[in-house]
Amino acid sequence: MDDCIFCKIVNKEIPSTKVYEDDKVLAFKDISPEAPVHIVIVPKEHIRSTNELNENNASIVAHIFIIINKIAEEQGIKDSGYRIINNCGEHGGQTVNHIHFHLLGGRNLSWPPG
Ligand code: 5GP
Ligand code: ZN
């Protein structure tokens, strides 16, 4: 999608620090990290949010969670623990309208979030 920041990152029109890539998924470091490890995982397909998931496209979510498992191990946070966040819509704090999952770790994260 033309004016989508994450599509531009996927297409390498905007640089990012890549952590993982395959034919379906890109993972990169968040530009404004909230924790020592803060990685954003996106499908290459432009899906606007969790609201757009359905029987035809939702298998990407299982794939992303398997990738998160691998990334957590590589980043050394698998045993200490981590948090996966998907913000959806205005009240959910979604600022980029391309579905994505935040992987946060490397410190003790507070709960509940603000
Ligand atoms: P959201 O608030 O939509 O759940 O998360 C969007 C995330 O994308 C934010 O944490 C923000 O810091 C990150 N972000 C926004 N623009 C860019 C960018 O150009 N590059 C990178 N690496 N991260 C970005
Ligand atoms: Zn997009």
Side-chain angles (χ1 to χ4, degrees), residues 5-6 9 28-32 87 93-96 100 102:
I5 293 171
F6 287 173
I9 289 176
F28 53 89
K29 291 190 178 174
D30 197 291
I31 203 166
S32 181
N87 295 326
Q94 184 177 6
T95 59
V96 179
H100 54 278
H102 299 257

Side-chain angles (χ1 to χ4, degrees), residues 53-106:
L53 290 174
N54 57 52
E55 293 293 339
N56 296 320
N57 63 15
S59 61
I60 192 66
V61 177
H63 181 64
I64 284 173
F65 271 66
I66 293 166
I67 298 311
I68 287 172
N69 190 343
K70 289 183 201 296
I71 294 172
E73 182 156 28
E74 285 164 9
Q75 296 286 324
I77 59 171
K78 189 162 182 165
D79 293 337
S80 52
Y82 50 88
R83 184 169 297 157
I84 300 162
I85 296 175
N86 168 242
N87 295 326
C88 181
E90 186 183 348
H91 284 189
Q94 184 177 6
T95 59
V96 179
N97 292 323
H98 180 133
I99 192 171
H100 54 278
F101 296 84
H102 299 257
L103 171 61
L104 294 154

